[in-house]
Amino acid sequence: MAKTDTDTGELAHALGTELQAHREQRGWSRPAIAACSDGNVSTKSLQSMEKATRSVTIRQLELAGHLYAIRPSELLLRAERRISWEPTGVAVDLDILAECPHDALRPAAQWARQERDTGSLTARLLAPVELASLAGRCRLDTAELTMLLTTQAPVTR
C-alpha cells in the first residue's frame, strides 16, 4: 500500500473494514448507529472510522465498541487477523546493552556481551521469541523488558 500524508495505516484500514462488516452483517445503517449515540458521533464520523480516512482514537474505539455492540479488543483482534499482523521485535544496541548498569538488565547485559563476543552485529533486532527468552532471564515480563530495552539500550547509530 502506498503511503500518503493522510494514510492511516494498514491496521486502521482493517479496523474500518471490520466495523463496516460488523454493521452490515446486522443490517444496521450508519444513520441508525449515529442516532443511538445520543449525539456523541455523527454519520460522517462513523464513515471516517469505517473508511479509515482519519486515525481512530482510543476513545473513539471504545465508543465504536459500544455502538457496534462488540468489544474494542475483539475489533482490534479481528483487524490484526485480517492483515496477519505480527510484531517485528525490538532493535537494541549490544554495545550499549552490554555496558548497561540497570540492575534489572544485568542478565541481558551478560547476554549482550556474549552475543557481541561471538561476532554478532552490534545493532540487533530481537524477535518476539528472543524477547520472551531474555525477559525470562531477567525475571521481567516481555512488556517491561521491551520498555527497558528501548530506553536503556536503543539503537542510536
Side-chain angles (χ1 to χ4, degrees):
M1 176 183 300
K3 299 286 183 202
T4 66
D5 289 343
T6 58
D7 187 13
T8 54
E10 192 177 19
L11 184 59
H13 285 274
L15 177 65
T17 300
E18 279 301 321
L19 284 170
Q20 184 173 347
H22 191 76
R23 176 181 58 75
E24 289 174 349
Q25 286 170 355
R26 282 150 186 77
W28 300 340
S29 68
R30 286 188 199 115
I33 291 176
C36 292
S37 78
D38 296 326
N40 288 315
V41 68
S42 67
T43 302
K44 186 175 179 179
S45 292
L46 294 173
Q47 180 178 2
S48 176
M49 281 189 258
E50 289 182 4
K51 300 301 179 191
T53 56
R54 287 186 294 153
S55 293
V56 175
T57 66
I58 296 295
R59 184 181 181 288
Q60 290 169 323
L61 181 62
E62 179 183 18
L63 179 60
H66 288 295
L67 294 173
Y68 288 70
I70 186 169
R71 297 173 72 78
S73 58
E74 179 63 23
L75 277 170
L76 286 173
L77 184 59
R78 289 180 183 191
E80 287 175 2
R81 286 183 188 136
R82 188 174 282 276
I83 62 171
S84 300
W85 185 86
E86 289 293 329
T88 56
V90 174
V92 296
D93 186 315
L94 293 178
D95 289 335
I96 294 172
L97 181 55
E99 304 305 321
C100 182
H102 197 287
D103 286 340
L105 291 177
R106 273 198 189 129
Q110 181 182 8
W111 170 84
R113 285 190 293 276
Q114 290 169 344
E115 288 293 306
R116 186 182 59 187
D117 293 346
T118 62
S120 289
L121 296 173
T122 59
R124 230 358 243 281
L125 181 66
L126 299 179
V129 68
E130 292 175 298
L131 278 171
S133 175
L134 197 54
R137 285 185 184 193
C138 295
R139 298 178 191 237
L140 298 169
D141 66 38
T142 304
E144 290 171 316
L145 178 62
T146 299
M147 183 190 70
L148 286 172
L149 290 175
T150 56
T151 59
Q152 301 295 317
V155 175
T156 58
R157 294 179 199 141

